[in-house]
Amino acid sequence: FEHEWQIRVMVLNDMEKLDRTLFRLEQGFELQFRLGPTLQGKHVHVHTNYPTEGERFERYKFRVLGWINPTGREDDSDKFCTLDLKISGSYQYYFDKEKSGGGYIVVNPVLRVGEDNHVLPLDCISIQTYLSKCLGPLDEWLDRLRVTKEAGYNMIHFTPLQTLGESRSCYSLADQLELNPDFSPPGQTYTWTEVGSLVEKMKNEWNMLCITDVVYNHTAANSKWIKKHPECGYNLVNSPHLKPAWVLDRALWHVTSAIADGKYKDRGLPALIQNHEHLHAIRGVLWQDVFPKIKLWEFFQVKVEPMVEQFRTLLQSGAKSDRSKTEGKQQLKIIQDPQFRRFGNTVDMNSALETFVPHGSSPGAIEDCCNWLRRRLEELNGEQYHEIKHHQEQATNCIADTVSYERLADHGPKLGPVTRKHPLVTRYFTFPFEEATLEQDLELMNQPEKSCHFLAHNGWVMGDDPLRNFAEPGSNVYIRRELICWGDSVKLRYGNGPEDCPYLWAHMQKYTEITAKHCVGVRLDNCHSTPLHVAEFMLDAARTLRPDLYVVAELFTGSEELDNVFVTRLGISSLIREAMSAGDSHEEGRLVYRYGGEPVGAFLQPSLRPLVPSIAHAMFLDVTHDNECPIQIRSVYDSLPSSAIVSMACCATGSTRGYDELVPHQISVVSEERFYSKWNPQAKPSSPAEVTLQSGIIAGKLALNRLHQELASKGFNQVFVDQVDEDIVAVTRHCPSTHRSVVAVCRTAFKNPKHHRYTDEVPPMCIPGKIEEVVLEVRTVERQADSYKKDERSINGMPGYTVEIKEHIQLKDSKVVRQAGVTSRGRNEYVQEIVFEQLTPGSVIAFRVSLDPKSQELVGVLRHHLIQFNPLYKAGSLPDPNTPDILKSPLTQIMSKMTLADMNILMFRCDAEEKEDGGGCYNIPSWKPLKYGGLQGLLSVMADIRPQNDLGHPFCDNLRQGDWMIDYVSNRLISRGGTLSELNLSLTWAYTTALDVTFKQMSSFVQNGSSFVKLLALGSVQMCAVGHFPALPPLSPALSDVPYRFNEITKQKEQCCVSMAAGLPHFSAGIFRCWGRDTFIALRGLMLVTGRHMEARNIILTFAGTMRHGLIPNLLGEGVGARFNCRDAVWWWLQCIQDYCTMVPNGTDILQCPVTRMYPTDDSKPLTAGTVDQLLCEVIHEAMERHMQGIEFRERNAGPQIDNNMRDEGFNIVAKVNPDTGFVYGGNQFNCGTWMDKMGESERARNKGIPATPRDGSAVEIVGLCKSTLRWLVALHKLGLFPYNSVTIHKDGKQLSMSYEEWDRKIQQNFEKMFYVSNDPNEKHPELVHKRGIYKDSYGASSPWCDYQLRPNFPIAMVVAPELFTVEHAWEALNISEEKLLGPLGMKTLDPDDMVYCGVYDNSLENDNYNLARGFNYHQGPEWLWPIGYFLRAKIYFAKKLGKDTYDETVYLVKNVLSLHYVHMERSSWKGLPELTNENGQYCPFSCETQAWSLAAVLEVLHDL
C-alpha cells in the first residue's frame, strides 16, 4: 500500500450541489477544500460528517473544518481546509448553513488476504458467484469451492446463507438470522461459527475472500416473524391507500378460480389460454364483470347529499368563509379520506362558502346556492370516476401483457392452464385465510385484526424512478397492476426511521451484523429499490464491525447520474457490470475501455491535483448469476474469448459458477436444487459430479485470472482497446513505469462457427515494441466424450469441449502466429507485424511486449535523470555512464544563475517578440500556433489536456508523430547562448523549477504571497524583456549597475536594459512596444511591488532622458521617434519616482542619479549618451516649471506621416496651470492627451479626425497626480532631499515665482469646490448634471457636458491624493461607481445611463453610426481592467476611515471581485489579464490578451490588502 503522499483538491462553488457526482479516493489521501471564485471573500464554513481521529462515525453528526491560509490574508486563492482520509465509507460535506452547496466523497476499502494479511487491490479481484443452496452440506463445501481456487479466483460471492422461504428462491428469506438448515447433514446442527471458521480458513490458506448478499427489501411470505409483526409490511391497516388495489387483487383471484373451474368456458375463456381471442375474452370479463362489481371509484368520491345538507345548515346559520384559511384560493377540491372508505371523502366547507355565496338570506337564495354546490360535487365525482377508469384501462393492459408473456410468448415460461397454483396473474397481496366468496372477502377489509395480515408483495416496476417507493401513498402501481410481482416475498415497510418500525430495524440490523462479522463484503440485492436511508443505516452498522467493508451492487437505474446517487450515499465500492449486456464484440470492447484504467500513454499526474469526478469502480462479470446463459444466446465457443476480454479490464472481474464448466442453461436462483460438482483432478470428462482442470474452459480461466491479477498488482493500469475486425478485439494493458505491455487478441464467436461462416482472412496486426513471449495461447476445442445430458443430482457442463492451452512460449513455437517480422526500425519506431495462422473463432493469444533493448536502456537513463524531480522515477532507472557534465548539476543550480530577463526568454515571449529574433512561436499543423515561444506556451495547452488525459488532442498528435516540438524547445534555447543553452528540460519540472527560481529573485511580498500574487507577479516576467534590438535609449555612462551585452553585428558592447511591453500580442515588439503612459501606470505594480528595483530605476532614468517640452513621450520609439502628444505620461512618471523613493530602501538616492538628456532643449537634435548629463531632481523640477510657465508647441512632422487620422488642429499641444486653482489643464477638442485616447477613423461615419474623448480642460486624475507630486516635493524639500521649493516663470517680461506649498494649497482649496457634483442649488450648469454625489471627470472642458460624465477616473485621484476628498463624499461617489460602472473584470469607461454609452468594442466595424464606427466607443463603455485597481484601492482606503464593519464588507467585496481575475488568469492560455472586455465581462477579440497595467493594478490591490 505504498504510494506517494497524494493530495486532491476540491474547489467549492456557490450553489454547486454535487450529490450526483462521484468522487472516489483511496485511504491515505489528503482531501483539500478550496474556495472557488464565487465564494472567495465570503465567510464560508465547510461541514463534514467524516469523524475526527479516534471518534466513531455518526452519519448526522457534522463538524466544521478549520481554514488554513498559508500566505496570510491578501486573498483567498490559497486558503484551504483539509481531511486526512483513513477510514473507508461514504462521507458528506456541505458548506454554509443553508447548505448552499455540497456532495459526497467515497473512500475505498482496503482488503487484506492470506495469513500475512497482504493487500488485495480492488482491481486484482477475480470473483465467482455461488448459489449457496447448491453447495450441499457444509462439510462438503470445500470440495465444491475448491473448483474456484483451482480456476484462479480470489473471491467468492455467496447468495444468502440464511433459511429460505417456501418458494426456495435464493433471495426469499424466511429467517434473516438463522443459517440455512440445509447446510447441516442429518444429526448435525451447524451454526454461523462453523461458517466463520470456513471463511477464515479460505482467507488464510487459499488467499480467498468471501462476500454475500444482504436483502433488505423483502422477506419470504412464510416468514414466521412477519406474522407476529405484520406492521413490518404494507398492510391495509398501516397503508389504507392500498385498499382499492387489494379489492381488485381479490376480484382477480376469484376470476382465476372461475377460469380454473371452467365457469367462463361458454364466454370463450378456457383454462388453457392459447391465443389472442382468449386475451380479448379476459378483457371482456374485466370490463363486464369485475370493474362494475367492485366499483373502485367509490373509494375516491364524496356522498353528495350529506355534503349539501351540511352546507345548507351552515348557510342557514349565517356562516361566512374564513379567508385566512383559504388564502383566497377558491378551488373546491375533494379531500381524500385517509382511511380510504367508500364515499368517505369530504370537501372543505370553507372553500364552499367562499365559492358559492347566496344573493341574500332568503330560503330561495340558499336553495340556489345548494344546487350550485350539488352540481359541482357531481362534476368532481365524475372527474374521479374518469381517473379510476384510466387506472382500470392500464390495469387491463398490464394483466393482458402478463398473461401473454407467461402463457403465449415463445421466450416466456409457458405456464399452461390457469390453476390456483398458477393463477391468471400473480397475487399482489398475501391472504392467509380460508377460501370464501368475494363478498365475504371484502368484509374482512374492515376488520383490522385480519386486514393487518393482507401484506403487499414486492417486485419491480419497469421504468420507475428508483428513488421513489412504489408502495407509499401517492403511487398507483398496485391499483394499475404495473408491478412485476414476486409472489413469494413481502415488501418491508421501514418508514422514515427506526422509531417508525422498531422491530424491523432491530431485526435487520442484527442480520447485517451477522453478515459483516463473517464476510469481508456485501452485495446489496435489489439495491435500486432499497430505500436509501435504510441501506445507509444498515451499512453504517456493518462498517462499525468491519470498517473496510467491501460493498458491491448491481443497479438498474438506466442512468449513470442516478447510479451515482446510490454509489455516493452508500459508499458502494464496485458496481456490477456485465459483458452479456453487449450485443457484439465491438460493444464488449467498449465496456472494457469504459470501466477500467487510464488510456495508454496517459500523462503522469502530479501528486497534488484537482479532484475530478470518476465513474463507479466496476466489477465486470462475463455473466451474472441471475441472467441467461451465454451459450444459449451466443455460442459455446464465445465463452473463452469473452472471458479473456473481461479479464483484460483494469477493474474487478469475475464470473458465476457453471460458466467455466460450460453449463448450457441458466442455473435458476428459484428452481435449481441440484448441487455443484466437486473438484477431482483425476475425474473423467463424462463424470457429471466432478470437474478437473480439463473441464470446460477452466484451464483457460486459470491462466486468464492469473494474468488479470498480475497486471493489476504490477501497475499495468493503462488500457487500449482495438477493434481489429467485427469479431476480433485486441486489448492492451500497459505499465507506464516499466513501459511493458500485454496485448491480448481475442476472436469472439457470438455465432456458432458450426452454423456461421467466419472468414479465414484475419488481418495482420502491428505491435509496437519487441515481443518477449507469448503469455498464453488458448482456444476452445471439441473432445471425445458423451454428448451433454442434464444430470439429475449435479449441475454438470458440456463434456464435449475443453481448451487447448500453451503458456509462456516463444513466438516461434506459437501455433496461432504464422510469422512475425519487424516492419520498421527507424529512429523512433520498432514495430513487429504479426500474421495469424490459426486465430480461430473462440481463441485467444496474449503477447508480452517491451520496448526494444536500445529504447528500454534510454528510458532507464531518462528515468535516472528525472529522479531529481520525483523519486518515483527510481523504479526502472539505469545509471548513465556517459552523463554529460551539464546533467551532473541539478537544474535548480543552473537556473539560479539566470536573471529575470533570462526567465522571460525561457518562459514567455509571444510570436512578435520571437519574430524579432528571427524565429516565431511553435505552430501545430491542423491546429494553431502556441501563445508563447517559451515553456508557458506548451504548459498552457498541457494544463487543459493533462487532467482529462485528452490524448486525441492535436498537441499530443504532434508529439507522437515526431520530435519537432522537442527540437524546437531545445534549439530555441541553444540559439540564445549563455545559461539558457545549458538547460536540460523535463517540461513540467523545468517550469516549476523556473517559477521557484523566479520568485526567489522577487520581493518578500511575492515570495510569501498567495498563488494569485505569484501569478500576477509572473506578469512582470511576461512583460519585462530585453529585445533583440534595444527598445530603450541608452542611460548615462556615468551611471553604475547598468547591464551590458556584446552585439555580434556591431562587435561593440551595448546596454541591454529591460523594457516593459504595454500588452501582448499587439504592443510587444518594435516601435510599438514601449509607451510612457502604460509603462508608468504599470511600473509600481510590476516592478516596485515585485522587488525589481534596479530595473525600475533604469526605466525611470531612461524616460527622464527623453524629456522634451517638459513632457515624457507617449510612444517612446527608442527616443528618436518619440511623440510628445500626451498630457498625463509625465505625471505618471513623477508618481513612479515618488513611489520608488518611498518603497525602495534608500530610494531617494535616485534623485541624485545622472540623467543623460537626449533633448537638452526643445529644438536640439537627439544627442548621444553622456553628452549632457543632469541629476534627476533637476529634470523633475524642469517638468514642474515648464507646466507653470505653460507648454505650447506643435508636434514635429505634423501631418499624415505621423498620424493618418488627426486633424491639423490636433497637432497643437497645450499643457498649462491655472494660476487661480493650481489645476493643470490643456488639450483641445481635436486631440486626446489622456489614456482615453481614441481618435475617430471613419470617413463614412464622419468621425475621422475627431477624438471620441478629448478630455480637454483639467482631467481629474491629472489634477490628483499633480497634487500628489506637489505634496511629496514639499515634504522632500523639508527633509533636505530636494533642492527646490518653488517654480519661477517669466510672464509679460516679469519674473514671477510660486512656491510648491502655495501651488499645493491652491489645488487643495479648490478641488472639492470645483469637482464635486453636489446637491447645491447654485450649481453653475444644472442642466448638465446627470448624477449628483459624484466627482466630475474633468473641469473646464470645451464641451461642458463632458465634465459631468460619470467615468472611472476620479478613483485614481483618490488613491494618489486622498487628502483632496472628504470621506463621506468620496464614499458616496465610490458607491455610485460600484453600482453603475463595476463589471466582472473591469470598470465601464462611461456611465451606462449616458446617451452615447455602448459596451461592445468592434474596431473593424465600418458603418454610418458616428458613435460606433471603427471602434469610436473604445472608451465609451467597454470595461477596462486597470481602473478597477484604483477603484478597489480607493474603496479600501476610505473604508478604513469608516470603521471596522465597513472595512470588513469592503475586503469581502475586493476578494470577491478579484477572485474572477484569479480564475481568468488560471484559465487563460496567456496567463494574463486582458486590456479590456466588452460589457458584463464578455470577451473582446480586439483587446490585448494580457496587458501590463491590468496585471499591475490588480497586484497593487493585493499589496494594499
Side-chain angles (χ1 to χ4, degrees), residues 836-885:
F836 294 106
E837 184 158 42
Q838 275 212 303
L839 190 66
T840 52
S843 53
V844 176
I845 182 166
F847 306 99
R848 194 179 300 277
V849 185
S850 63
L851 295 172
D852 64 278
K854 186 66 191 153
S855 302
Q856 193 69 47
E857 184 189 328
L858 289 172
V859 165
V861 167
L862 268 175
R863 292 180 81 85
H864 172 73
H865 293 308
L866 292 173
I867 294 170
Q868 61 168 308
F869 303 115
N870 190 331
L872 287 180
Y873 280 109
K874 267 206 176 92
S877 67
L878 292 172
D880 182 2
N882 312 315
T883 304
D885 290 346

Side-chain angles (χ1 to χ4, degrees), residues 1122-1335:
R1123 278 192 75 185
F1124 296 87
N1125 61 339
C1126 72
R1127 309 196 304 275
D1128 58 351
V1130 64
W1131 297 106
W1132 284 108
W1133 171 75
L1134 287 162
Q1135 182 65 37
C1136 277
I1137 301 171
Q1138 179 185 164
D1139 292 334
Y1140 183 94
C1141 290
T1142 50
M1143 291 172 74
V1144 177
N1146 305 318
T1148 49
D1149 293 354
I1150 195 173
L1151 301 171
Q1152 301 305 312
C1153 283
V1155 173
T1156 189
R1157 293 295 295 272
M1158 193 177 247
Y1159 306 107
T1161 65
D1162 288 351
D1163 297 320
S1164 59
K1165 294 268 179 283
L1167 302 181
T1168 54
T1171 313
V1172 176
D1173 277 11
Q1174 266 181 303
L1175 297 181
L1176 179 63
C1177 58
E1178 295 168 12
V1179 185
I1180 293 170
H1181 182 62
E1182 181 184 325
M1184 302 301 286
E1185 210 159 53
R1186 291 298 296 270
H1187 276 80
M1188 187 56 85
Q1189 177 69 53
I1191 297 167
E1192 204 162 349
F1193 66 94
R1194 184 169 171 79
E1195 276 199 85
R1196 279 163 192 72
N1197 305 318
Q1201 60 271 35
I1202 62 165
D1203 193 324
N1204 199 24
N1205 296 308
M1206 182 93 77
R1207 293 198 182 181
D1208 189 65
E1209 304 94 317
F1211 293 108
N1212 300 329
I1213 308 297
V1214 175
K1216 300 182 177 180
V1217 176
N1218 182 314
D1220 300 328
T1221 61
F1223 296 170
V1224 176
Y1225 71 92
N1228 65 46
Q1229 66 202 61
F1230 297 104
N1231 61 27
C1232 24
T1234 72
W1235 76 277
M1236 292 184 161
D1237 56 359
K1238 178 67 183 180
M1239 179 59 71
E1241 298 171 34
S1242 173
E1243 287 182 355
R1244 180 175 160 186
R1246 298 184 299 286
N1247 65 26
K1248 185 171 168 125
I1250 300 171
T1253 40
R1255 300 187 73 229
D1256 56 340
S1258 300
V1260 65
E1261 76 276 17
I1262 295 180
V1263 175
L1265 288 161
C1266 173
K1267 173 70 176 69
S1268 171
T1269 304
L1270 290 165
R1271 181 191 66 230
W1272 169 61
L1273 293 178
V1274 169
L1276 277 182
H1277 181 73
K1278 285 179 179 166
L1279 293 170
L1281 297 171
F1282 188 72
Y1284 308 99
N1285 68 348
S1286 61
V1287 287
T1288 305
I1289 59 168
H1290 299 272
K1291 204 166 193 187
D1292 306 329
K1294 291 182 200 154
Q1295 182 172 309
L1296 305 169
S1297 84
M1298 184 190 285
S1299 73
Y1300 283 135
E1301 273 194 78
E1302 187 186 349
W1303 187 357
D1304 180 70
R1305 192 163 49 250
K1306 282 187 175 183
I1307 298 177
Q1308 185 68 46
Q1309 285 165 353
N1310 288 292
F1311 183 81
E1312 185 84 9
K1313 201 161 50 182
M1314 307 290 194
F1315 273 92
Y1316 185 62
V1317 183
S1318 66
N1319 295 310
D1320 182 359
N1322 302 321
E1323 168 61 54
K1324 205 162 153 195
H1325 293 291
E1327 75 285 358
L1328 298 177
V1329 174
H1330 198 244
K1331 297 247 183 327
R1332 296 188 182 273
I1334 63 167
Y1335 286 86

